[in-house]
Short mmCIF file of all heavy atoms in Angstrom, two decimals:
data_model
loop_
_atom_site.label_atom_id
_atom_site.label_comp_id
_atom_site.label_asym_id
_atom_site.label_seq_id
_atom_site.Cartn_x
_atom_site.Cartn_y
_atom_site.Cartn_z
N ASP A 12 -168.30 -46.26 184.99
CA ASP A 12 -168.17 -46.15 186.41
C ASP A 12 -168.87 -47.26 187.14
O ASP A 12 -168.39 -47.90 188.09
CB ASP A 12 -168.70 -44.82 186.94
CG ASP A 12 -167.76 -43.64 186.50
OD1 ASP A 12 -166.61 -43.87 186.11
OD2 ASP A 12 -168.22 -42.52 186.63
N ASN A 14 -169.77 -50.25 185.94
CA ASN A 14 -169.52 -51.64 185.54
C ASN A 14 -168.05 -51.97 185.40
O ASN A 14 -167.73 -53.15 185.04
CB ASN A 14 -170.18 -51.91 184.20
CG ASN A 14 -171.69 -51.86 184.28
OD1 ASN A 14 -172.31 -52.81 184.75
ND2 ASN A 14 -172.31 -50.73 183.94
N PHE A 19 -163.75 -55.98 184.71
CA PHE A 19 -162.44 -56.41 185.05
C PHE A 19 -162.48 -57.83 185.60
O PHE A 19 -161.69 -58.69 185.16
CB PHE A 19 -161.78 -55.52 186.17
CG PHE A 19 -160.39 -55.92 186.58
CD1 PHE A 19 -159.31 -55.64 185.78
CD2 PHE A 19 -160.21 -56.66 187.75
CE1 PHE A 19 -158.03 -56.09 186.17
CE2 PHE A 19 -158.99 -57.07 188.13
CZ PHE A 19 -157.92 -56.83 187.30
N PHE A 25 -160.91 -64.96 182.37
CA PHE A 25 -160.34 -65.40 181.14
C PHE A 25 -158.89 -65.37 180.99
O PHE A 25 -158.24 -66.16 180.30
CB PHE A 25 -161.00 -64.59 179.98
CG PHE A 25 -162.33 -65.01 179.59
CD1 PHE A 25 -163.46 -64.46 180.24
CD2 PHE A 25 -162.61 -66.00 178.65
CE1 PHE A 25 -164.75 -64.83 179.96
CE2 PHE A 25 -163.93 -66.39 178.31
CZ PHE A 25 -164.97 -65.76 179.01
N PHE A 26 -158.25 -64.35 181.73
CA PHE A 26 -156.79 -64.11 181.60
C PHE A 26 -156.12 -64.08 182.88
O PHE A 26 -156.46 -63.32 183.74
CB PHE A 26 -156.63 -62.79 180.81
CG PHE A 26 -157.26 -62.69 179.46
CD1 PHE A 26 -158.39 -61.97 179.33
CD2 PHE A 26 -156.70 -63.37 178.37
CE1 PHE A 26 -159.04 -61.93 178.07
CE2 PHE A 26 -157.32 -63.29 177.14
CZ PHE A 26 -158.52 -62.62 177.07
N ALA A 39 -162.88 -53.97 175.73
CA ALA A 39 -164.33 -54.03 176.03
C ALA A 39 -164.92 -52.63 176.22
O ALA A 39 -166.01 -52.41 175.60
CB ALA A 39 -164.53 -54.90 177.29
N LEU A 40 -164.26 -51.76 176.89
CA LEU A 40 -164.80 -50.44 177.08
C LEU A 40 -164.88 -49.64 175.74
O LEU A 40 -165.81 -48.95 175.50
CB LEU A 40 -163.94 -49.68 178.12
CG LEU A 40 -164.15 -50.06 179.52
CD1 LEU A 40 -163.10 -49.46 180.46
CD2 LEU A 40 -165.52 -49.76 180.05
N THR A 49 -175.94 -48.77 169.18
CA THR A 49 -176.65 -49.98 168.65
C THR A 49 -177.45 -50.65 169.71
O THR A 49 -178.22 -51.54 169.36
CB THR A 49 -175.65 -50.94 168.02
OG1 THR A 49 -174.84 -51.54 169.03
CG2 THR A 49 -174.79 -50.31 166.94
N ILE A 60 -173.73 -55.41 178.27
CA ILE A 60 -172.38 -55.14 178.66
C ILE A 60 -171.57 -56.46 178.86
O ILE A 60 -170.45 -56.62 178.42
CB ILE A 60 -172.29 -54.30 179.95
CG1 ILE A 60 -172.79 -52.84 179.57
CG2 ILE A 60 -170.91 -54.18 180.56
CD1 ILE A 60 -173.13 -51.98 180.75
N LYS A 79 -149.72 -67.28 168.86
CA LYS A 79 -148.85 -68.32 169.38
C LYS A 79 -148.56 -69.34 168.28
O LYS A 79 -147.43 -69.81 168.27
CB LYS A 79 -149.50 -68.97 170.65
CG LYS A 79 -149.44 -68.14 171.87
CD LYS A 79 -150.09 -68.85 172.98
CE LYS A 79 -150.06 -67.94 174.27
NZ LYS A 79 -150.69 -68.59 175.39
N GLY A 86 -140.78 -71.23 164.69
CA GLY A 86 -139.61 -71.67 165.53
C GLY A 86 -139.19 -70.56 166.49
O GLY A 86 -138.20 -70.72 167.18
N ARG A 88 -139.62 -68.38 169.88
CA ARG A 88 -140.24 -68.58 171.15
C ARG A 88 -141.16 -67.34 171.40
O ARG A 88 -140.63 -66.20 171.44
CB ARG A 88 -139.25 -68.73 172.30
CG ARG A 88 -139.89 -68.97 173.62
CD ARG A 88 -138.83 -69.03 174.67
NE ARG A 88 -139.41 -68.76 175.95
CZ ARG A 88 -139.49 -69.60 176.94
NH1 ARG A 88 -139.05 -70.81 176.80
NH2 ARG A 88 -140.07 -69.29 178.08
N ASN A 92 -145.09 -67.47 176.00
CA ASN A 92 -144.69 -68.76 176.49
C ASN A 92 -143.83 -68.71 177.81
O ASN A 92 -143.58 -69.74 178.41
CB ASN A 92 -143.90 -69.57 175.43
CG ASN A 92 -144.83 -70.01 174.31
OD1 ASN A 92 -145.98 -70.04 174.45
ND2 ASN A 92 -144.16 -70.22 173.14
N GLU A 96 -145.67 -63.58 185.89
CA GLU A 96 -145.47 -63.26 187.20
C GLU A 96 -146.69 -63.54 188.06
O GLU A 96 -147.73 -62.88 187.68
CB GLU A 96 -145.06 -61.82 187.42
CG GLU A 96 -143.64 -61.66 187.75
CD GLU A 96 -143.32 -60.18 187.91
OE1 GLU A 96 -143.85 -59.51 188.91
OE2 GLU A 96 -142.53 -59.64 187.07
N ILE A 98 -149.65 -63.30 190.74
CA ILE A 98 -150.08 -62.32 191.67
C ILE A 98 -150.00 -62.88 193.11
O ILE A 98 -150.56 -63.97 193.32
CB ILE A 98 -151.54 -61.88 191.38
CG1 ILE A 98 -151.52 -61.33 189.94
CG2 ILE A 98 -152.01 -60.91 192.37
CD1 ILE A 98 -152.96 -61.07 189.43
N GLN A 104 -152.75 -70.47 201.22
CA GLN A 104 -153.84 -71.42 200.92
C GLN A 104 -154.82 -70.78 199.92
O GLN A 104 -155.27 -71.48 199.01
CB GLN A 104 -154.62 -71.81 202.16
CG GLN A 104 -155.70 -72.83 201.94
CD GLN A 104 -155.19 -74.17 201.39
OE1 GLN A 104 -154.08 -74.56 201.52
NE2 GLN A 104 -156.10 -74.91 200.76
N LEU A 109 -156.67 -70.18 194.26
CA LEU A 109 -156.83 -69.30 193.13
C LEU A 109 -156.09 -69.88 191.89
O LEU A 109 -156.60 -69.84 190.80
CB LEU A 109 -156.30 -67.82 193.44
CG LEU A 109 -156.39 -66.79 192.42
CD1 LEU A 109 -157.89 -66.52 192.02
CD2 LEU A 109 -155.74 -65.54 192.84
N ARG A 113 -157.71 -71.03 188.35
CA ARG A 113 -157.27 -70.54 187.05
C ARG A 113 -156.89 -71.68 186.11
O ARG A 113 -157.22 -71.58 184.94
CB ARG A 113 -156.07 -69.55 187.21
CG ARG A 113 -156.46 -68.24 187.81
CD ARG A 113 -155.28 -67.30 187.94
NE ARG A 113 -155.71 -66.05 188.44
CZ ARG A 113 -154.98 -65.28 189.27
NH1 ARG A 113 -153.83 -65.67 189.59
NH2 ARG A 113 -155.50 -64.16 189.71
N SER A 128 -167.90 -67.78 184.50
CA SER A 128 -167.62 -66.36 184.83
C SER A 128 -168.97 -65.57 185.10
O SER A 128 -168.98 -64.84 186.07
CB SER A 128 -166.75 -65.72 183.75
OG SER A 128 -167.46 -65.57 182.56
N ALA A 140 -178.26 -67.22 179.82
CA ALA A 140 -178.75 -67.69 178.58
C ALA A 140 -178.78 -66.56 177.55
O ALA A 140 -178.42 -66.89 176.39
CB ALA A 140 -180.22 -68.24 178.79
N LYS A 158 -170.01 -77.54 188.20
CA LYS A 158 -169.80 -77.59 189.68
C LYS A 158 -169.33 -78.99 190.05
O LYS A 158 -168.41 -79.09 190.84
CB LYS A 158 -171.11 -77.27 190.36
CG LYS A 158 -171.51 -75.84 190.43
CD LYS A 158 -172.79 -75.72 191.19
CE LYS A 158 -173.35 -74.35 191.23
NZ LYS A 158 -174.61 -74.28 192.00
N LYS A 160 -167.72 -81.08 188.07
CA LYS A 160 -166.42 -81.25 187.53
C LYS A 160 -165.31 -80.63 188.38
O LYS A 160 -164.29 -81.18 188.64
CB LYS A 160 -166.40 -80.63 186.06
CG LYS A 160 -165.08 -80.86 185.42
CD LYS A 160 -165.19 -80.27 183.94
CE LYS A 160 -163.91 -80.55 183.21
NZ LYS A 160 -164.01 -80.05 181.78
N LYS A 162 -165.54 -79.99 191.56
CA LYS A 162 -165.50 -80.74 192.85
C LYS A 162 -164.48 -81.97 192.64
O LYS A 162 -163.64 -82.26 193.47
CB LYS A 162 -166.84 -81.21 193.33
CG LYS A 162 -167.66 -80.14 193.94
CD LYS A 162 -169.02 -80.68 194.29
CE LYS A 162 -170.03 -79.59 194.70
NZ LYS A 162 -171.35 -80.13 195.03
N LYS A 166 -160.83 -82.52 194.37
CA LYS A 166 -160.49 -83.79 195.19
C LYS A 166 -159.27 -84.47 194.60
O LYS A 166 -158.45 -84.91 195.33
CB LYS A 166 -161.69 -84.72 195.19
CG LYS A 166 -162.82 -84.31 196.09
CD LYS A 166 -163.97 -85.31 196.08
CE LYS A 166 -165.07 -84.72 196.99
NZ LYS A 166 -166.24 -85.66 196.99
N ASN A 170 -155.84 -85.05 196.58
CA ASN A 170 -155.19 -86.35 196.74
C ASN A 170 -153.90 -86.48 196.07
O ASN A 170 -153.00 -87.11 196.56
CB ASN A 170 -156.23 -87.45 196.13
CG ASN A 170 -157.46 -87.58 196.96
OD1 ASN A 170 -157.51 -87.26 198.08
ND2 ASN A 170 -158.52 -87.99 196.29
#
Side-chain angles (χ1 to χ4, degrees):
D12 289 343
N14 294 282
F19 180 78
F25 282 88
F26 304 102
L40 288 169
T49 66
I60 291 167
K79 284 181 181 178
R88 183 184 159 113
N92 289 338
E96 248 183 66
I98 299 171
Q104 182 63 21
L109 182 62
R113 287 183 178 146
S128 65
K158 284 179 182 180
K160 185 176 181 177
K162 284 178 189 175
K166 285 180 183 178
N170 292 335

